[in-house]
Amino acid sequence: MGRCPSRARLMARGQNMQVTVKLSLPRDTSSVSISRRVVRSALNALGVVEDIRYDVELALTEACANVVQHAAFSDEYEVSISIEGATCSIDVVDSGHGYDEASLQASMPHPSAEEGRGLHLIRMLTENVQLGHHPKQGTIMHFEKKLEWEPNSLISQLS
């Protein structure tokens, strides 16, 4: 299944907490569930409310599924999850050939279509969605989500 190293860093200084996880995953359908489980575990451990955990999980699932389906010529991809303050930032990066902006816009299905709604979902569920590309270095998708905490969460206890 390839390598799947992860690095988690937790720093607590008063109200400042940062968690960073970086995954290097094979471009395989089974890797999508790995990234989803990792982000679910991190958000759950910190006490993020369920609705927001679900939004982040679904957005990450869609981003990773897009890589698996569309990143031809890329054997692996990276997922970086950063939780700092009340924001979760995620980058999904592949090393494929990138994409053509005009072709991407022309092929975008209607949001109510059964397939091809991944980017629409990510934009609906998260904030600051950015899609960047370089023809020789692949694609990077960045998105963020404002976090809310359960009343008895780790964050609430440290504040």
Side-chain angles (χ1 to χ4, degrees), residues 71-90:
F73 309 109
S74 179
D75 292 334
E76 61 184 21
Y77 65 104
E78 291 187 356
V79 176
S80 297
I81 303 161
S82 177
I83 302 165
E84 187 166 5
T87 302
C88 178
S89 300
I90 296 180

Side-chain angles (χ1 to χ4, degrees), residues 11 72 94 115 130 133 145 154:
M11 299 178 339
D94 69 64
E115 291 185 13
Q130 299 174 22
H133 66 95
K145 183 72 174 180
L154 176 60

Side-chain angles (χ1 to χ4, degrees), residues 62-143:
E62 291 296 332
C64 292
N66 282 344
V67 169
V68 170
Q69 184 175 3
H70 299 294
F73 309 109
S74 179
D75 292 334
E76 61 184 21
Y77 65 104
E78 291 187 356
V79 176
S80 297
I81 303 161
S82 177
I83 302 165
E84 187 166 5
T87 302
C88 178
S89 300
I90 296 180
D91 292 319
V92 179
V93 183
D94 69 64
S95 57
H97 284 224
Y99 63 93
D100 175 57
E101 186 75 34
S103 297
L104 178 66
Q105 292 301 324
S107 68
M108 288 292 283
H110 189 273
S112 64
E114 283 297 313
E115 291 185 13
R117 300 180 299 168
L119 190 54
H120 290 298
L121 282 171
I122 295 166
R123 286 184 174 142
M124 287 174 34
L125 297 170
T126 65
E127 300 89 30
N128 196 22
V129 177
Q130 299 174 22
L131 192 60
H133 66 95
H134 188 280
K136 296 180 182 176
Q137 296 174 351
T139 302
I140 180 169
M141 174 171 282
H142 172 88
F143 55 92

